[in-house]
């Protein structure tokens, strides 16, 4: 189906420690990649460090770690550690994140997200190559930073990118782009911005269930939480869903969260969330790949017809 077939770790229904046995199964099922996330659960690096031992040979990626919740030097140290544990197999995914995560949860400063991501990318290129960096960037200044031990193989760096400016930065200066909450048709729109040679990674939320009404109820709550964030609202405006999502945004702005959730149309849910029996889900994932997605990263949603561990097995490329 595709050279890359990724899975999100740790799994949403268990802790990192409880994920060990299922992570160990992934290579044998045909999964080539494991990708972490970093919101308010597990951090982005520790699950990957565990997977180095539990699932030898898979590619490891962060999707994503924010550029404004760690200092540039600490981010370089964390990346260097993973790159040393898995030479040539670690991909550092970074992104701007959101005001809630950066400011309200981490007491940081969310400003100039494009410039901060660009500056961090440029700093990391030099630092992870073993250079001593003294540089005044637009959004921060570093004086005399040098990794004590640079990785033998510098990791590839990919950027979270939702609209043309960041997508072009990912294509021109990074090693790939990560996107989220999109349909197979949207992949073509994104691909047009980055060209054919740039790796495109996307987390796909999947629920193995034939109860469409139940899936939509769960998915609407997830979508409302994301699509009301300004960067995602702008992303879907750009993709052409502004009018379809206008009632949701109006209800959310009025403080009526329940009405906002209900206002998300079925067709939007069905476009952005993969659901159905396992064969239908795998066929839908193939549509993303046919549209230009290089690396699908599956994120099974709890509450389907089968438990998460069985869904992971049923969604595998070798199933």
């Amino acid at each position: 189906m595709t050279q890359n077939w990724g899975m999100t770790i740790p799994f949403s229904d268990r802790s990192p420690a409880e994920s060990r046995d299922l992570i160990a199964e992934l290579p044998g099922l045909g999964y080539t990649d494991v990708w972490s996330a970093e919101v308010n659960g597990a951090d982005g690096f520790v699950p990957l460090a565990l997977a180095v031992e539990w699932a030898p040979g898979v590619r490891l990626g962060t999707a994503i770690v924010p550029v404004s919740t760690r200092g540039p030097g600490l981010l370089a140290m964390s990346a260097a550690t993973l790159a040393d544990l898995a030479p040539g197999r670690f991909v550092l995914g970074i992104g701007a994140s959101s005001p809630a995560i950066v400011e309200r949860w981490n007491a940081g400063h969310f400003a100039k997200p494009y410039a901060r991501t660009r500056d961090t990318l440029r700093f990391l290129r030099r630092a992870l190559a073993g250079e001593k960096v003294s540089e005044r960037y637009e959004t921060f200044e570093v004086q005399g930073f040098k990794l004590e031990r640079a990785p033998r193989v510098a990791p590839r760096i990919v950027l979270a990118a939702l609209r043309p400016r960041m997508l072009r930065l990912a294509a021109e200066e990074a090693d790939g782009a990560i996107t989220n909450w999109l349909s197979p048709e949207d992949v073509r729109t994104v691909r047009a911005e980055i060209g054919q040679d740039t790796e495109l990674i996307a987390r796909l939320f999947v629920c193995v269930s034939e109860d469409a009404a139940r899936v939509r109820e769960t998915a609407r709550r997830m979508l409302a939480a994301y699509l009301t964030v300004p960067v995602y609202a702008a992303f879907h405006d750009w993709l052409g869903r502004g009018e379809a999502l206008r009632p949701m945004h109006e209800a959310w702005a009025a403080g009526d969260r329940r009405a906002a959730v209900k206002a998300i149309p079925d067709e939007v849910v069905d476009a952005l969330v993969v659901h159905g029996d396992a064969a239908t889900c795998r066929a839908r994932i193939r549509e993303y790949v046919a549209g230009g997605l290089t690396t699908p990263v599956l994120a099974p949603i709890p509450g389907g017809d089968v438990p998460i561990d069985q869904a992971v097995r049923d969604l595998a490329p070798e199933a």
Side-chain angles (χ1 to χ4, degrees):
M1 284 183 280
T2 178
Q3 182 179 349
N4 301 330
W5 199 260
M7 177 57 62
T8 299
I9 64 167
F11 304 100
S12 58
D13 65 339
R14 65 199 73 186
S15 70
E18 293 166 339
S19 297
R20 178 175 185 164
D21 290 345
L22 189 51
I23 289 174
E25 283 189 50
L26 296 177
L29 293 169
Y31 290 97
T32 61
D33 291 45
V34 294
W35 290 78
S36 63
E38 191 170 274
V39 182
N40 61 345
D43 81 305
F45 292 104
V46 172
L48 300 182
L50 296 171
V52 170
E53 295 296 322
W54 296 347
V58 299
R59 187 169 68 149
L60 313 152
T62 57
I64 51 103
V65 291
V67 296
S68 298
T69 55
R70 292 174 179 84
L74 178 57
L75 185 53
M77 287 187 284
S78 298
T81 302
L82 257 297
D84 186 57
L85 290 172
R89 293 191 290 115
F90 173 57
V91 182
L92 176 63
I94 59 174
S97 191
S98 70
I101 292 173
V102 173
E103 296 186 339
R104 297 208 295 271
W105 299 354
N106 287 285
H109 186 46
F110 187 83
K112 298 184 176 180
Y114 171 85
R116 180 64 184 245
T117 303
R118 179 203 62 209
D119 293 348
T120 303
L121 168 64
R122 292 174 178 174
F123 163 78
L124 288 169
R125 284 289 198 213
R126 296 179 61 191
L128 291 168
E131 293 184 33
K132 184 175 183 179
V133 183
S134 294
E135 187 77 33
R136 182 186 296 275
Y137 298 93
E138 180 182 345
T139 57
F140 59 83
E141 182 176 359
V142 174
Q143 288 296 327
F145 177 83
K146 188 177 190 298
L147 285 168
E148 180 179 295
R149 186 187 302 275
R152 288 171 290 162
V153 181
R156 298 173 70 245
I157 304 175
V158 295
L159 301 185
L162 298 179
R163 286 184 290 163
R165 194 180 182 203
M166 194 75 85
L167 286 165
R168 288 193 292 270
L169 178 66
E172 292 167 4
E173 297 194 33
D175 299 303
I178 303 172
T179 189
N180 195 9
W181 291 117
L182 77 173
S183 72
E185 295 75 22
D186 298 333
V187 170
R188 293 180 170 84
T189 302
V190 172
R191 174 59 71 186
E193 296 293 332
I194 61 175
Q196 295 303 310
D197 297 330
T198 300
E199 181 174 9
L200 180 59
I201 303 146
R203 177 166 281 114
L204 306 180
F205 293 91
V206 185
C207 190
V208 180
S209 174
E210 297 182 69
D211 187 341
R214 185 176 64 181
V215 173
R216 289 171 182 147
E217 182 179 358
T218 299
R220 278 191 176 89
R221 292 194 293 271
M222 296 173 63
L223 286 166
Y226 269 89
L227 302 189
T228 52
V229 175
V231 291
Y232 278 100
F235 180 45
H236 284 274
D237 281 346
W238 177 60
L239 291 172
R241 292 194 182 90
E243 287 303 314
L245 293 173
R246 186 181 301 279
M248 178 199 72
H249 288 299
E250 291 174 347
W252 192 271
D256 193 338
R257 302 296 191 254
R258 183 174 297 179
V261 169
K262 289 182 178 180
I264 302 173
D266 284 352
E267 57 267 25
V268 170
V269 178
D270 294 345
L272 303 181
V273 176
V274 177
H275 62 95
D277 62 26
T280 298
C281 290
R282 288 197 304 275
R284 180 68 166 171
I285 295 163
R286 290 189 190 100
E287 292 181 28
Y288 283 89
V289 175
L293 182 63
T294 316
T295 305
V297 179
L298 313 187
I301 300 172
D305 295 340
V306 297
I308 291 291
D309 52 357
Q310 189 59 49
V312 169
R313 298 178 187 118
D314 291 345
L315 293 168
E318 312 239 342

